[in-house]
Amino acid sequence: MPQSAQEIVQLRRMQEYEPLLRGVRGTYLFDVEQVGCWFVAVDDGKIKITEGRHEADCAISCSEEDFIDIFEGRRNLVTAALQGRVQVRGDVALAQKFHGLVGTRIERSRGAA
Amino acid sequence: MSSKSVSILEGDTFVVSDRRGDIAVAPEEAQGLFHGDTRFLSRWVLTVNGQRPNPLSTDDVNYFSSQFFLVPGTGTIYVDSPMSIVRQRAVGGGFHEDLKVRNHTHKPIDLDIRIEAAADFADLFQVKDAEFKRKGEFYDRIESNRLVLGYKRERFVRETWITSSASAEIDEKGFRFRVRLEPHGEWSTSLDVSAAVDGWGGIKTKPKYKDVHDVPTPNIGMNLESWITKAPQLRSSWRDLERIYERALVDLAALRFFSRFAPGKALPAAGLPWFMALFGRDSLITSFQALPFLPELAASTLEVLALTQGTRHDDFREEEPGKILHEARAGEMTAFEERPHSPYFGSADSTPLFLVLLEEFERWTGKGDLVRRFEAESRASLQWIDKFGDRDGDGYVEYERRNKETGIENQCWKDSWDSIKFSDGTIPPKPIATCEIQGYVYDAKRRSARLAREFWNDPETAGRLEKEAADLKRRFNEDFWIPEKQFFALALDGKKRQVDSLTSNVGHLLWSGIADADKADACARHLVGARLFSGWGIRTMAEQEGGYNPIGYHIGTVWPFDNSLVALGLRNYGYKKEAAQVALANLEAAKYFDYRFPEAFAGYPRQETHFPVEYPTACSPQAWSAGAPLLFLRTLLGLEPVGDRLLVDPAVPKQIEWLELLAVRGRWGQADAFARGLVDVSSGPAEHAAESKHAA
């Protein structure tokens, strides 16, 4: 299990194509407080991640703890944003696509019988 | 909504006040300024010299502004009021209010004018359920000319910012103006109330209008005038029909909103006040109803629901890959996962209805690009139906909530807990496979087969879907038909027993086309028979059923949207007269509701009450009720796309002498439809109509 934002980004860097982002074109900026920024360009499912702050279509900023929890599917991006833990700016449709992507491999059972 | 309240709305911001313009009720009543499912003002009371003025007249100028004409005291015919007070309000982002006081005497008057303000920041769910346990802290502060009311729970912050253009004494409870009005003089101020939200795309909002008389610019890409102009023009000898139509168009314009989950695409919210939110089923059905009139709604609805389609397994939200959402909310309870609406996926019919609307959209508009673009989403929806919708592999889509605490028990359109009942009134065990959902699945597969063949270049999938649809229809007509009662069961329960109440759901089977042609006659007779047909419309549940209650939400009331789908179903099977009868009865009822269909009305027999009786907590306006007159018109005129042409095959009741619908947009460009009222609906049910769309 990744322990840091750096580790998550490294893992994601190895994945150059995400089928769930097919048809999606846009750029994201992930701003992790006191850790750093990553710029992610998505072009019809192809992903390119670079380090640094650049103008992006959708900017998502949060603490490192929340960043890890969201990527690992332990925290829901939408409710984190509604709570004010995460700031989502710009093209919210892109944020929604990102939300559809993270945590998809995790079976959740909270609230169930 | 109560006729004693005044509602104005724009998007998911709305203000409900009393006829003075005040917000001054108990917390559990739905008055206030609401934005993003949160009440940003729970008190807003004007007093003049310590007294609340009384209303002379109130006007909802249009759906986003209102004005209130007030005088102090009760007045008598012997004493003229020395002053008048006018409040003019426009909602958008928060609201802007112009307050004017006029002195009608030849002497100066000293006034102590006060606006009392408070905000409870209640989640709409709390208001609805009258539960106000709060976990955060309230605060207030005064910043020069601004009063800030706030609520904070961890990092969840909601604030109401209030400013006045005239100088005021501000305290934590509001604004005080000490005014000297000269003889025949006037004093005024402008009050701006902003809802400040942070988070998911959130920004500090500001009232959109600086003046109540600003040119209206709703946030929906098209202003009201363009919206009305773009819709087909209706003319009829029956003026009431024109009024109903105009009201429906305005209500649909008013209910358009941008979901925070997909801004930039205006789609219909479900209804005021409880359902000013994105609902999968409601938006899909409303868009279907409005397709021949306002196809823009369908395009937006499909885009937003495709964007938010489920991708994961989440029992709390009842999300599964390929599933179309049920409801999305943004209040405190959703934020802290005390409710699952972020978004919530607890509906078993939204997914097939998504496919139905997509195909219908292409059929009407000829816009295949959306069908091509949503191939992956459509395939995911089809996969959901077979893999997750059919929970036990019996070939039917059934539901049983996985979120046992806050999930919805009945995940069909009749979603109240007691809507599905045996004829003896008992509640069947879950999981439940309601009949109409199987119809939607049948229709979705049939329609998707065409899309696969014509747009996805996949004849193999097309053939498979057609085979599956045919197989489903065959099995359904065996398993759901009750021979001794001559109608389809409402559902199969958890033990695969037929739930044997007679309900309006039977009509949805005609809409979807799943009913065998040789069973349609019996269905039609039931639908317009005395047990189901009240005289004002088809009841949700038939009289004499154990569960029947004429004022039960889904067990005896009449729902205009339900009737509109049933009428189209009757028409599709060739029952033109019965379709006309149902449409006319509903449209006649609309007159009694100020030409606006409520969500539902009571199922009492027409001959007993002589007017349709209100259902106490019905939402109004409500999107699929506003869509109902449009679908009734389509049905009466027999509008149907046939290739690149619009077929017009009217069957209009004699009571409507003539009607014409001009400039119907579609893949044919524009076309006009004309009709004369020739159908006699005053006698009993018609003979079996010869031609049936689903006869094969």
Side-chain angles (χ1 to χ4, degrees):
Chain A
M1 191 180 294
Q3 300 295 313
S4 70
Q6 288 278 5
E7 218 177 316
I8 284 173
V9 173
Q10 284 307 323
L11 282 170
R12 292 276 166 169
R13 262 187 178 150
M14 288 154 60
Q15 184 187 358
E16 293 179 342
Y17 183 75
E18 170 52 62
L20 281 172
L21 292 176
R22 196 172 58 186
V24 176
R25 286 181 177 80
T27 55
Y28 295 88
L29 180 73
F30 291 93
D31 184 351
V32 183
E33 289 160 20
Q34 298 177 334
V35 176
C37 294
W38 287 276
F39 181 78
V40 181
V42 179
D43 183 7
D44 197 18
K46 283 179 274 186
I47 304 166
K48 191 178 175 195
I49 304 177
T50 51
E51 198 157 355
R53 181 184 293 277
H54 304 282
E55 192 75 19
D57 300 322
C58 175
I60 297 173
S61 54
C62 59
S63 69
E64 184 172 30
E65 184 190 353
D66 285 335
F67 183 83
I68 296 168
D69 284 349
I70 287 165
F71 267 88
E72 290 301 298
R74 289 190 296 270
R75 185 176 288 286
N76 182 283
L77 174 66
V78 175
T79 53
L82 292 175
Q83 282 181 35
R85 300 182 76 94
V86 175
Q87 301 299 315
V88 177
R89 297 280 182 263
D91 186 344
V92 179
L94 277 175
Q96 183 65 40
K97 277 287 174 189
F98 171 67
H99 167 64
L101 182 64
V102 292
T104 51
R105 292 164 193 84
I106 299 197
E107 291 274 345
R108 303 187 69 191
S109 60
R110 186 172 44 79
Chain B
M1 300 296 299
S2 161
S3 57
K4 291 177 184 170
S5 64
V6 177
S7 305
I8 50 174
L9 72 157
E10 188 186 71
D12 66 347
T13 307
F14 58 96
V15 185
V16 185
S17 68
D18 64 18
R19 295 181 60 77
R20 296 178 170 101
D22 283 350
I23 298 163
V25 291
E28 64 273 16
E29 288 191 43
Q31 279 196 6
L33 163 65
F34 294 88
H35 173 77
D37 304 318
T38 302
R39 181 155 61 188
F40 281 82
L41 270 185
S42 50
R43 188 162 180 82
W44 185 254
V45 175
L46 169 70
T47 55
V48 177
N49 291 340
Q51 301 290 317
R52 292 177 68 191
N54 288 307
L56 284 179
S57 180
T58 299
D59 184 19
D60 308 22
V61 179
N62 50 50
Y63 65 79
F64 56 89
S65 65
S66 55
Q67 48 190 351
F68 307 88
F69 296 89
L70 314 170
V71 290
T74 52
T76 74
I77 54 170
Y78 305 110
V79 181
D80 291 332
S81 179
M83 73 179 107
S84 57
I85 301 154
V86 183
R87 305 170 86 173
Q88 294 174 306
R89 184 179 294 162
V91 66
F95 69 75
H96 173 93
E97 180 167 324
D98 289 331
L99 172 62
K100 289 177 190 161
V101 184
R102 289 190 189 120
N103 178 359
H104 298 308
T105 70
H106 61 279
K107 292 179 181 171
I109 311 176
D110 289 313
L111 298 173
D112 175 8
I113 300 170
R114 180 150 177 87
I115 289 280
E116 200 181 312
D120 65 2
F121 298 99
D123 187 306
L124 204 60
F125 284 126
Q126 292 172 315
V127 181
K128 196 175 172 204
D129 298 341
E131 283 188 17
F132 294 95
K133 288 176 199 157
R134 309 310 300 274
K135 296 179 179 171
E137 290 175 0
F138 293 90
Y139 58 87
D140 54 70
R141 62 177 186 271
I142 295 160
E143 300 170 341
S144 64
N145 71 332
R146 177 159 66 200
L147 171 62
V148 176
L149 305 170
Y151 177 77
K152 184 171 168 52
R153 175 176 169 189
E154 298 173 19
R155 279 185 265 179
F156 176 92
V157 178
R158 300 291 183 265
E159 291 186 347
T160 306
W161 298 354
I162 311 168
T163 58
S164 163
S165 62
S167 64
E169 297 163 31
I170 307 177
D171 59 43
E172 75 282 4
K173 288 186 177 167
F175 292 69
R176 165 161 281 137
F177 306 93
R178 296 186 195 280
V179 174
R180 162 156 280 226
L181 266 181
E182 296 303 324
H184 299 286
E186 179 179 295
W187 172 87
S188 68
T189 186
S190 293
L191 296 151
D192 283 326
V193 183
S194 304
V197 181
D198 217 342
W200 184 268
I203 50 170
K204 305 285 187 284
T205 64
K206 57 182 180 184
K208 197 163 72 181
Y209 301 104
K210 285 290 166 203
D211 188 298
V212 174
H213 300 296
D214 280 353
V215 176
T217 54
N219 295 326
I220 30 71
M222 202 191 297
N223 68 29
L224 183 59
E225 198 173 287
S226 309
W227 177 259
I228 302 283
T229 306
K230 269 195 131 179
Q233 309 302 305
L234 176 78
R235 292 189 203 133
S236 175
S237 56
W238 190 30
R239 298 283 174 231
D240 290 341
L241 184 60
E242 294 178 347
R243 294 186 68 176
I244 293 165
Y245 179 66
E246 282 162 22
R247 184 96 205 204
L249 293 180
V250 172
D251 283 347
L252 285 172
L255 289 167
R256 289 171 298 171
F257 85 119
F258 290 133
S259 164
R260 70 190 56 237
F261 295 94
K265 303 288 177 191
L267 73 167
L272 191 75
W274 304 119
F275 305 124
M276 285 309 295
L278 171 59
F279 279 73
R281 179 188 304 123
D282 296 57
S283 295
L284 286 162
I285 288 178
T286 304
S287 300
F288 182 95
Q289 293 168 315
L291 238 179
F293 302 83
L294 300 159
E296 296 80 8
L297 284 180
S300 293
T301 296
L302 290 164
E303 293 222 27
V304 173
L305 294 178
L307 179 66
T308 52
Q309 186 176 36
T311 57
R312 71 195 78 197
H313 298 271
D314 182 337
D315 287 337
F316 178 60
R317 296 175 181 80
E318 310 213 30
E319 180 178 354
E320 285 148 350
K323 199 172 184 183
I324 296 298
L325 68 78
H326 172 62
E327 180 179 355
R329 296 284 189 176
E332 180 186 357
M333 296 183 81
T334 299
F336 286 91
E337 304 192 355
E338 291 154 3
R339 293 292 174 109
H341 298 76
S342 50
Y344 177 55
F345 287 80
S347 76
D349 53 5
S350 296
T351 308
L353 288 171
F354 172 82
L355 294 163
V356 168
L357 182 65
L358 181 64
E359 196 270 350
E360 186 79 354
F361 176 76
E362 193 285 329
R363 230 161 55 84
W364 278 87
T365 65
K367 292 179 179 169
D369 53 337
L370 218 57
V371 174
R372 288 188 193 90
R373 190 142 62 86
F374 293 150
E375 179 182 343
E377 287 84 353
S378 300
R379 288 180 185 274
S381 295
L382 287 162
Q383 203 170 21
W384 178 84
I385 288 170
D386 293 336
K387 194 172 176 184
F388 302 106
D390 180 4
R391 296 162 55 95
D392 56 12
D394 68 345
Y396 297 120
V397 169
E398 53 262 303
Y399 58 78
E400 179 173 23
R401 65 179 182 171
R402 287 147 59 207
N403 176 344
K404 297 290 186 195
E405 287 175 16
T406 50
I408 296 176
E409 285 197 53
N410 279 314
Q411 301 188 352
C412 54
W413 87 258
K414 293 178 177 174
D415 58 0
S416 51
W417 70 275
D418 64 345
S419 65
I420 309 298
K421 290 180 172 178
F422 284 110
S423 191
D424 65 5
T426 56
I427 305 254
K430 309 280 187 310
I432 295 287
T434 59
C435 64
E436 83 285 1
I437 295 178
Q438 317 317 316
Y440 303 160
V441 169
Y442 165 77
D443 200 19
K445 288 197 171 184
R446 227 167 30 119
R447 289 171 182 263
S448 298
R450 182 179 81 81
L451 301 183
R453 186 170 285 118
E454 294 180 17
F455 294 93
W456 306 335
N457 194 26
D458 187 353
E460 194 180 320
T461 296
R464 176 177 59 78
L465 289 170
E466 280 164 348
K467 187 172 171 305
E468 287 173 4
D471 180 54
L472 172 60
K473 183 172 181 174
R474 182 187 54 73
R475 287 184 291 106
F476 177 84
N477 279 274
E478 288 169 8
D479 296 344
F480 280 72
W481 184 250
I482 310 174
E484 63 276 20
K485 295 193 172 190
Q486 289 290 293
F487 58 78
F488 288 98
L490 168 58
L492 296 185
D493 76 353
K495 296 177 180 170
K496 307 301 172 192
R497 294 174 301 181
Q498 292 178 333
V499 180
D500 57 349
S501 288
L502 175 61
T503 62
S504 63
N505 301 45
V506 166
H508 289 232
L509 306 175
L510 303 183
W511 175 49
S512 64
I514 197 172
D516 278 343
D518 62 3
K519 297 183 173 70
D521 202 47
C523 292
R525 286 178 190 280
H526 280 300
L527 288 164
V528 295
R531 289 183 62 203
L532 272 176
F533 190 68
S534 75
W536 296 113
I538 297 166
R539 301 179 178 100
T540 40
M541 184 175 279
E543 273 188 331
Q544 297 161 26
E545 293 297 346
Y548 171 73
N549 176 351
I551 46 170
Y553 197 48
H554 292 125
I555 48 174
T557 51
V558 175
W559 287 59
F561 102 90
D562 182 32
N563 278 247
S564 72
L565 294 177
V566 175
L568 182 58
L570 285 163
R571 173 76 210 222
N572 285 347
Y573 274 79
Y575 296 93
K576 292 180 180 177
K577 176 181 167 178
E578 288 80 356
Q581 182 184 351
V582 172
L584 180 69
N586 274 267
L587 292 165
E588 285 176 337
K591 287 191 295 182
Y592 294 89
F593 297 108
D594 201 16
Y595 303 94
R596 168 194 273 169
F597 280 134
E599 179 183 33
F601 52 87
Y604 299 117
R606 184 170 181 163
Q607 67 269 23
E608 194 176 298
T609 62
H610 304 292
F611 58 88
V613 174
E614 275 188 61
Y615 178 75
T617 59
C619 283
S620 187
Q622 190 173 42
W624 60 18
S625 295
L630 308 189
L631 193 55
F632 283 134
L633 281 169
R634 171 182 167 179
T635 300
L636 292 173
L637 289 165
L639 303 180
E640 201 64 40
V642 178
D644 285 333
R645 290 183 305 115
L646 177 66
L647 176 69
V648 181
D649 180 19
V652 174
K654 280 182 177 171
Q655 287 86 337
I656 304 172
E657 202 176 313
W658 58 267
L659 79 91
E660 55 189 41
L661 193 66
L662 307 177
V664 181
R665 287 178 290 152
R667 58 194 308 155
W668 46 83
Q670 289 195 354
D672 300 335
F674 303 92
R676 288 199 172 279
L678 300 172
V679 179
D680 183 2
V681 299
S682 56
S683 58
E687 295 303 309
H688 186 323
E691 75 271 36
S692 166
K693 192 178 160 189
H694 299 293

